[in-house]
Amino acid sequence: MRVWNRAKLLWGYLARRPTLPALPIDHGQVQPILPDMPARDPQTAKTDMTHEVFQHVVRETRDAAEYMMLIGLGEPFMDPAIFDRIEFCHRHSISTLLSTNGTLLDERMAARVLDSPLSQITLSFDGAKKETYEFYRKGAKFEKVRNNFIRFARMKRERRSKLQIIVQMVTMERNAAEVSDFIAFWSTIPGVDQLRIKADETNLMSPDVAHPAEHWNNPCHYLWRGPIYVKHNGDVYPCCQSYMLNGTPLRNVKKRPLVSIWNSEGIERMRRLHGAGRGAEIDVCSRCRTPIPHPALVIGSIALPGRIVRGLLPWVMSKLPSRLLRAPQRVDS
Protein backbone atom coordinates (compact mmCIF):
# COMPACT_ATOMS: atom_id res chain seq x y z
CA MET A 1 0.00 0.00 0.00
CA ARG A 2 2.76 2.48 0.90
CA VAL A 3 4.63 1.84 -2.34
CA TRP A 4 1.47 2.46 -4.35
CA ASN A 5 0.71 5.54 -2.26
CA ARG A 6 4.18 6.97 -3.02
CA ALA A 7 3.75 6.19 -6.72
CA LYS A 8 0.50 8.15 -6.88
CA LEU A 9 2.04 11.12 -5.06
CA LEU A 10 5.06 11.06 -7.35
CA TRP A 11 2.85 11.09 -10.42
CA GLY A 12 0.85 13.96 -8.93
CA TYR A 13 4.00 16.00 -8.24
CA LEU A 14 5.50 15.41 -11.71
CA ALA A 15 2.21 16.30 -13.40
CA ARG A 16 1.58 19.20 -10.98
CA ARG A 17 -1.83 17.75 -10.23
CA PRO A 18 -3.92 19.73 -7.74
CA THR A 19 -5.85 16.61 -6.66
CA LEU A 20 -3.95 13.69 -5.15
CA PRO A 21 -5.58 10.25 -4.72
CA ALA A 22 -3.22 9.45 -1.86
CA LEU A 23 -2.09 10.66 1.55
CA PRO A 24 1.13 12.44 2.56
CA ILE A 25 4.10 10.14 3.07
CA ASP A 26 7.11 9.88 5.38
CA HIS A 27 5.45 11.70 8.25
CA GLY A 28 2.54 13.73 9.42
CA GLN A 29 3.23 16.35 12.07
CA VAL A 30 0.89 16.47 15.03
CA GLN A 31 0.74 18.88 17.94
CA PRO A 32 0.08 16.58 20.90
CA ILE A 33 0.32 19.36 23.47
CA LEU A 34 0.03 23.12 23.71
CA PRO A 35 2.78 25.23 25.26
CA ASP A 36 2.42 26.29 28.89
CA MET A 37 1.49 29.79 27.75
CA PRO A 38 -0.15 29.51 24.32
CA ALA A 39 0.62 33.05 23.17
CA ARG A 40 -0.50 32.31 19.62
CA ASP A 41 -3.95 31.25 20.82
CA PRO A 42 -4.65 33.34 23.94
CA GLN A 43 -8.34 32.62 23.65
CA THR A 44 -7.76 28.86 23.70
CA ALA A 45 -7.71 27.03 27.02
CA LYS A 46 -4.76 24.74 27.77
CA THR A 47 -6.13 21.51 26.28
CA ASP A 48 -3.85 18.82 24.88
CA MET A 49 -4.74 16.59 21.95
CA THR A 50 -7.21 13.91 23.02
CA HIS A 51 -6.58 10.20 22.50
CA GLU A 52 -9.56 10.11 20.13
CA VAL A 53 -8.16 12.75 17.78
CA PHE A 54 -4.64 11.31 17.86
CA GLN A 55 -5.74 7.73 17.24
CA HIS A 56 -8.07 8.87 14.48
CA VAL A 57 -5.14 10.52 12.65
CA VAL A 58 -2.94 7.43 13.07
CA ARG A 59 -5.61 5.02 11.84
CA GLU A 60 -6.37 7.18 8.79
CA THR A 61 -2.69 7.45 7.80
CA ARG A 62 -1.42 3.99 8.71
CA ASP A 63 -1.39 2.74 5.10
CA ALA A 64 0.60 5.77 3.90
CA ALA A 65 2.63 7.34 6.70
CA GLU A 66 6.04 5.89 7.49
CA TYR A 67 7.02 8.45 10.10
CA MET A 68 5.02 10.70 12.40
CA MET A 69 6.50 13.75 14.06
CA LEU A 70 5.17 14.27 17.58
CA ILE A 71 6.20 17.90 17.56
CA GLY A 72 4.24 21.09 18.12
CA LEU A 73 4.87 24.25 20.08
CA GLY A 74 5.12 22.48 23.43
CA GLU A 75 7.73 20.24 25.03
CA PRO A 76 6.74 16.61 24.17
CA PHE A 77 7.76 15.23 27.57
CA MET A 78 5.17 17.46 29.24
CA ASP A 79 2.54 15.31 27.53
CA PRO A 80 1.54 12.57 30.02
CA ALA A 81 0.46 10.39 27.10
CA ILE A 82 3.61 10.77 24.98
CA PHE A 83 4.81 7.19 25.45
CA ASP A 84 1.31 5.83 24.81
CA ARG A 85 1.29 7.80 21.54
CA ILE A 86 4.69 6.40 20.54
CA GLU A 87 3.52 2.86 21.27
CA PHE A 88 0.25 3.36 19.38
CA CYS A 89 2.11 4.50 16.27
CA HIS A 90 4.50 1.56 16.61
CA ARG A 91 1.58 -0.89 16.69
CA HIS A 92 0.44 0.60 13.37
CA SER A 93 3.95 0.30 11.84
CA ILE A 94 4.55 4.05 11.94
CA SER A 95 7.91 5.22 13.25
CA THR A 96 8.00 8.28 15.48
CA LEU A 97 10.23 11.31 15.83
CA LEU A 98 10.25 14.08 18.37
CA SER A 99 12.32 17.06 19.46
CA THR A 100 13.08 18.05 23.04
CA ASN A 101 14.58 21.05 24.80
CA GLY A 102 16.07 18.67 27.37
CA THR A 103 14.82 20.36 30.52
CA LEU A 104 12.88 17.22 31.54
CA LEU A 105 15.34 14.65 30.18
CA ASP A 106 16.67 13.44 33.53
CA GLU A 107 18.03 9.90 34.00
CA ARG A 108 14.60 8.38 34.62
CA MET A 109 13.08 10.02 31.55
CA ALA A 110 16.10 9.04 29.46
CA ALA A 111 15.60 5.40 30.43
CA ARG A 112 11.91 5.55 29.46
CA VAL A 113 12.78 7.01 26.08
CA LEU A 114 15.36 4.29 25.41
CA ASP A 115 12.86 1.61 26.46
CA SER A 116 10.33 2.95 23.95
CA PRO A 117 10.18 2.25 20.17
CA LEU A 118 10.96 5.91 19.34
CA SER A 119 13.03 6.05 16.13
CA GLN A 120 14.61 9.50 16.21
CA ILE A 121 15.04 12.30 18.72
CA THR A 122 16.35 15.80 18.13
CA LEU A 123 18.11 17.43 21.06
CA SER A 124 17.64 21.17 20.65
CA PHE A 125 20.56 23.22 21.98
CA ASP A 126 20.74 26.71 20.50
CA GLY A 127 24.13 27.96 21.61
CA ALA A 128 27.66 26.98 22.56
CA LYS A 129 27.93 29.52 25.38
CA LYS A 130 25.91 29.83 28.57
CA GLU A 131 24.93 33.46 27.98
CA THR A 132 23.72 32.82 24.45
CA TYR A 133 21.87 29.62 25.23
CA GLU A 134 20.03 31.06 28.24
CA PHE A 135 19.12 34.20 26.28
CA TYR A 136 17.16 32.11 23.78
CA ARG A 137 15.96 29.38 26.17
CA LYS A 138 14.38 31.37 28.98
CA GLY A 139 14.27 29.52 32.29
CA ALA A 140 16.60 26.69 31.21
CA LYS A 141 20.06 26.17 32.71
CA PHE A 142 22.92 25.67 30.27
CA GLU A 143 24.91 23.16 32.34
CA LYS A 144 21.88 21.12 33.41
CA VAL A 145 20.49 20.67 29.90
CA ARG A 146 23.91 19.97 28.41
CA ASN A 147 24.55 17.32 31.06
CA ASN A 148 21.11 15.81 30.40
CA PHE A 149 21.96 15.46 26.72
CA ILE A 150 25.44 14.04 27.35
CA ARG A 151 24.09 11.46 29.81
CA PHE A 152 21.29 10.50 27.42
CA ALA A 153 23.73 9.97 24.54
CA ARG A 154 26.00 7.90 26.80
CA MET A 155 23.09 5.72 27.97
CA LYS A 156 22.04 5.17 24.36
CA ARG A 157 25.56 4.04 23.46
CA GLU A 158 25.86 1.76 26.50
CA ARG A 159 22.55 0.09 25.65
CA ARG A 160 23.51 -0.18 21.97
CA SER A 161 20.17 1.36 21.17
CA LYS A 162 19.22 1.98 17.53
CA LEU A 163 17.57 5.29 18.42
CA GLN A 164 19.00 8.03 16.22
CA ILE A 165 20.14 11.09 18.16
CA ILE A 166 20.46 14.45 16.41
CA VAL A 167 21.82 17.48 18.23
CA GLN A 168 20.49 20.62 16.57
CA MET A 169 21.33 24.29 16.72
CA VAL A 170 19.09 26.87 15.07
CA THR A 171 21.23 29.79 13.97
CA MET A 172 20.03 33.24 15.01
CA GLU A 173 21.61 36.63 15.47
CA ARG A 174 23.30 35.98 18.82
CA ASN A 175 24.54 32.44 18.23
CA ALA A 176 25.64 32.55 14.58
CA ALA A 177 29.29 33.00 15.56
CA GLU A 178 29.20 29.89 17.79
CA VAL A 179 28.59 27.27 15.10
CA SER A 180 32.21 26.05 14.99
CA ASP A 181 32.36 25.75 18.79
CA PHE A 182 29.02 23.90 18.80
CA ILE A 183 30.27 21.40 16.22
CA ALA A 184 33.64 20.96 17.95
CA PHE A 185 31.98 20.09 21.27
CA TRP A 186 29.10 17.87 20.20
CA SER A 187 31.10 15.93 17.60
CA THR A 188 33.12 14.43 20.45
CA ILE A 189 30.11 13.11 22.42
CA PRO A 190 29.68 9.33 22.05
CA GLY A 191 26.16 8.29 21.07
CA VAL A 192 25.36 11.34 18.97
CA ASP A 193 24.59 10.26 15.41
CA GLN A 194 24.25 13.59 13.64
CA LEU A 195 24.74 17.30 14.14
CA ARG A 196 22.34 19.67 12.42
CA ILE A 197 22.86 23.39 11.94
CA LYS A 198 19.51 24.77 10.91
CA ALA A 199 18.60 28.24 9.73
CA ASP A 200 15.80 30.02 11.53
CA GLU A 201 12.69 29.34 9.40
CA THR A 202 10.36 31.70 11.21
CA ASN A 203 9.83 35.28 10.08
CA LEU A 204 10.34 36.63 13.60
CA MET A 205 14.12 36.95 13.44
CA SER A 206 14.37 37.68 9.71
CA PRO A 207 11.36 39.70 8.49
CA ASP A 208 13.33 41.05 5.51
CA VAL A 209 14.02 37.62 4.01
CA ALA A 210 11.98 36.16 1.16
CA HIS A 211 12.14 33.81 -1.80
CA PRO A 212 13.27 35.62 -4.99
CA ALA A 213 10.75 35.50 -7.80
CA GLU A 214 12.76 32.93 -9.78
CA HIS A 215 12.65 30.49 -6.87
CA TRP A 216 8.96 29.95 -7.43
CA ASN A 217 9.76 27.98 -10.57
CA ASN A 218 10.06 25.05 -8.17
CA PRO A 219 6.82 24.24 -6.34
CA CYS A 220 6.93 23.58 -2.61
CA HIS A 221 7.36 19.89 -1.85
CA TYR A 222 5.16 20.06 1.27
CA LEU A 223 2.04 20.43 -0.87
CA TRP A 224 2.58 17.08 -2.59
CA ARG A 225 4.46 14.89 -0.11
CA GLY A 226 3.74 16.45 3.28
CA PRO A 227 4.04 16.74 6.18
CA ILE A 228 0.69 18.19 7.01
CA TYR A 229 0.26 19.76 10.44
CA VAL A 230 -2.52 18.61 12.75
CA LYS A 231 -3.25 20.97 15.63
CA HIS A 232 -4.19 19.64 19.08
CA ASN A 233 -7.91 20.24 18.39
CA GLY A 234 -7.88 18.40 15.04
CA ASP A 235 -7.51 21.41 12.73
CA VAL A 236 -5.35 20.52 9.71
CA TYR A 237 -2.91 22.90 8.02
CA PRO A 238 -1.01 22.32 4.74
CA CYS A 239 2.29 22.43 6.67
CA CYS A 240 3.78 23.59 9.96
CA GLN A 241 4.80 26.95 8.48
CA SER A 242 1.22 27.65 7.46
CA TYR A 243 0.21 27.17 11.09
CA MET A 244 3.12 29.23 12.44
CA LEU A 245 2.30 32.08 10.05
CA ASN A 246 -1.35 32.19 11.15
CA GLY A 247 -2.71 30.60 8.02
CA THR A 248 -6.27 29.32 7.77
CA PRO A 249 -6.83 25.63 8.58
CA LEU A 250 -8.05 23.45 5.74
CA ARG A 251 -10.60 21.44 7.73
CA ASN A 252 -10.85 19.45 10.97
CA VAL A 253 -10.20 15.70 11.21
CA LYS A 254 -13.21 15.31 13.49
CA LYS A 255 -15.49 16.52 10.70
CA ARG A 256 -13.86 15.37 7.45
CA PRO A 257 -11.73 12.35 6.41
CA LEU A 258 -8.05 13.20 6.10
CA VAL A 259 -7.92 12.19 2.43
CA SER A 260 -10.74 14.67 1.78
CA ILE A 261 -8.87 17.41 3.68
CA TRP A 262 -5.69 16.63 1.72
CA ASN A 263 -7.70 17.44 -1.41
CA SER A 264 -9.82 20.29 -0.11
CA GLU A 265 -10.33 23.53 -2.01
CA GLY A 266 -7.69 25.49 -0.07
CA ILE A 267 -4.76 23.17 -0.67
CA GLU A 268 -5.78 22.43 -4.26
CA ARG A 269 -5.63 26.18 -4.96
CA MET A 270 -2.15 26.29 -3.44
CA ARG A 271 -0.99 23.41 -5.66
CA ARG A 272 -2.37 25.10 -8.77
CA LEU A 273 -0.56 28.35 -8.03
CA HIS A 274 2.70 26.61 -7.09
CA GLY A 275 2.49 24.44 -10.19
CA ALA A 276 2.16 27.60 -12.28
CA GLY A 277 5.13 29.29 -10.57
CA ARG A 278 2.85 31.70 -8.72
CA GLY A 279 3.42 30.56 -5.14
CA ALA A 280 4.25 34.11 -4.07
CA GLU A 281 0.58 35.01 -4.58
CA ILE A 282 -0.29 32.94 -1.49
CA ASP A 283 0.14 35.03 1.65
CA VAL A 284 1.62 32.38 3.95
CA CYS A 285 3.92 31.10 1.19
CA SER A 286 5.19 34.60 0.43
CA ARG A 287 6.22 34.95 4.09
CA CYS A 288 7.63 31.43 4.49
CA ARG A 289 11.36 30.96 5.18
CA THR A 290 11.68 27.24 4.37
CA PRO A 291 14.14 26.39 1.55
CA ILE A 292 12.55 24.97 -1.60
CA PRO A 293 14.48 21.88 -2.78
CA HIS A 294 15.37 21.14 -6.38
CA PRO A 295 12.72 18.89 -8.01
CA ALA A 296 15.27 16.05 -8.25
CA LEU A 297 15.55 15.98 -4.47
CA VAL A 298 11.78 16.05 -4.08
CA ILE A 299 11.37 13.16 -6.53
CA GLY A 300 13.89 11.12 -4.55
CA SER A 301 12.15 11.92 -1.26
CA ILE A 302 8.83 10.67 -2.66
CA ALA A 303 10.09 7.65 -4.58
CA LEU A 304 12.28 6.19 -1.82
CA PRO A 305 11.02 4.76 1.49
CA GLY A 306 11.20 7.15 4.42
CA ARG A 307 13.83 5.02 6.19
CA ILE A 308 16.21 5.40 3.24
CA VAL A 309 15.46 9.11 2.84
CA ARG A 310 16.28 9.79 6.47
CA GLY A 311 19.47 7.79 6.19
CA LEU A 312 20.59 9.82 3.18
CA LEU A 313 19.51 13.19 4.55
CA PRO A 314 22.75 14.01 6.45
CA TRP A 315 24.82 13.32 3.33
CA VAL A 316 22.44 15.32 1.13
CA MET A 317 22.56 18.33 3.43
CA SER A 318 26.35 18.30 3.78
CA LYS A 319 27.57 17.23 0.33
CA LEU A 320 25.22 18.52 -2.34
CA PRO A 321 25.60 22.04 -3.75
CA SER A 322 23.59 24.67 -1.88
CA ARG A 323 21.95 25.74 -5.14
CA LEU A 324 19.86 22.55 -4.94
CA LEU A 325 18.23 24.01 -1.83
CA ARG A 326 16.77 27.35 -2.83
CA ALA A 327 16.94 29.25 0.44
CA PRO A 328 15.23 32.61 0.99
CA GLN A 329 17.41 35.67 0.58
CA ARG A 330 17.53 39.09 2.17
CA VAL A 331 15.43 41.68 0.39
CA ASP A 332 17.12 45.04 -0.16
CA SER A 333 15.14 47.91 1.27
Side-chain angles (χ1 to χ4, degrees):
M1 285 292 293
R2 288 173 177 168
V3 173
W4 180 231
N5 186 78
R6 286 200 304 271
K8 290 188 286 187
L9 289 182
L10 179 58
W11 172 80
Y13 174 77
L14 292 173
R16 304 294 190 261
R17 300 287 296 179
T19 303
L20 301 173
L23 282 170
I25 61 170
D26 190 16
H27 52 262
Q29 186 167 346
V30 301
Q31 180 191 67
I33 61 171
L34 283 174
D36 282 339
M37 298 180 65
R40 294 190 70 261
D41 298 305
Q43 77 282 5
T44 302
K46 177 71 168 67
T47 305
D48 299 337
M49 180 177 280
T50 65
H51 292 294
E52 290 74 20
V53 171
F54 181 80
Q55 293 178 7
H56 177 78
V57 172
V58 172
R59 290 191 178 103
E60 276 211 73
T61 60
R62 62 186 175 186
D63 292 332
E66 298 174 24
Y67 282 86
M68 183 167 288
M69 301 171 66
L70 306 180
I71 303 170
L73 292 179
E75 165 58 35
F77 294 132
M78 292 185 69
D79 177 11
I82 189 63
F83 292 104
D84 292 334
R85 301 187 200 276
I86 293 171
E87 288 285 351
F88 190 78
C89 288
H90 180 67
R91 291 201 300 271
H92 289 83
S93 300
I94 299 176
S95 299
T96 45
L97 300 78
L98 58 77
S99 176
T100 177
N101 61 34
T103 54
L104 301 178
L105 194 62
D106 57 17
E107 188 169 0
R108 178 177 172 274
M109 183 66 76
R112 290 196 68 185
V113 173
L114 292 170
D115 287 338
S116 78
L118 184 70
S119 295
Q120 183 186 99
I121 186 169
T122 298
L123 311 180
S124 181
F125 203 75
D126 298 328
K129 297 179 180 179
K130 176 182 175 68
E131 296 78 10
T132 306
Y133 170 82
E134 294 184 359
F135 173 81
Y136 286 119
R137 186 66 65 182
K138 303 298 184 184
K141 299 301 181 184
F142 177 83
E143 294 86 357
K144 178 183 177 180
V145 174
R146 186 178 64 180
N147 290 340
N148 283 352
F149 285 165
I150 294 172
R151 179 181 57 239
F152 179 66
R154 185 188 70 242
M155 291 172 64
K156 173 243 176 166
R157 181 181 175 88
E158 290 172 350
R159 290 177 175 224
R160 298 183 179 179
S161 169
K162 294 182 179 179
L163 174 66
Q164 184 181 31
I165 294 179
I166 298 172
V167 182
Q168 174 179 285
M169 173 178 168
V170 176
T171 55
M172 293 171 281
E173 183 179 359
R174 290 192 178 217
N175 67 4
E178 300 175 17
V179 170
S180 58
D181 290 339
F182 176 91
I183 293 173
F185 179 85
W186 289 104
S187 62
T188 66
I189 304 302
V192 173
D193 298 291
Q194 180 188 341
L195 301 181
R196 179 188 294 154
I197 307 300
K198 185 178 179 181
D200 174 32
E201 293 182 354
T202 71
N203 64 347
L204 299 178
M205 301 292 180
S206 52
D208 57 346
V209 172
H211 287 285
E214 64 271 16
H215 283 205
W216 294 107
N217 293 331
N218 296 344
C220 180
H221 51 302
Y222 286 163
L223 299 177
W224 277 268
R225 71 175 301 279
I228 55 172
Y229 188 93
V230 185
K231 192 179 171 182
H232 75 288
N233 64 356
D235 284 346
V236 179
Y237 294 78
C239 64
C240 61
Q241 293 292 2
S242 175
Y243 170 70
M244 291 295 294
L245 294 170
N246 295 309
T248 302
L250 299 170
R251 292 288 191 280
N252 190 287
V253 295
K254 292 183 287 188
K255 300 178 181 179
R256 293 279 292 273
L258 202 54
V259 68
S260 172
I261 297 173
W262 184 233
N263 288 291
S264 57
E265 180 181 354
I267 196 168
E268 286 192 350
R269 174 181 176 272
M270 296 174 76
R271 291 189 188 117
R272 288 191 188 94
L273 288 173
H274 274 257
R278 297 163 54 197
E281 296 179 22
I282 304 168
D283 176 61
V284 292
C285 298
S286 69
R287 295 184 286 124
C288 179
R289 304 295 175 256
T290 302
I292 300 177
H294 189 278
L297 296 180
V298 180
I299 290 169
S301 73
I302 298 175
L304 297 173
R307 174 180 54 82
I308 295 177
V309 171
R310 294 210 163 267
L312 292 173
L313 193 59
W315 182 87
V316 170
M317 298 301 293
S318 63
K319 300 296 183 182
L320 291 187
S322 59
R323 60 182 172 81
L324 295 181
L325 287 173
R326 293 176 172 266
Q329 299 175 1
R330 191 170 301 278
V331 177
D332 295 331
S333 56

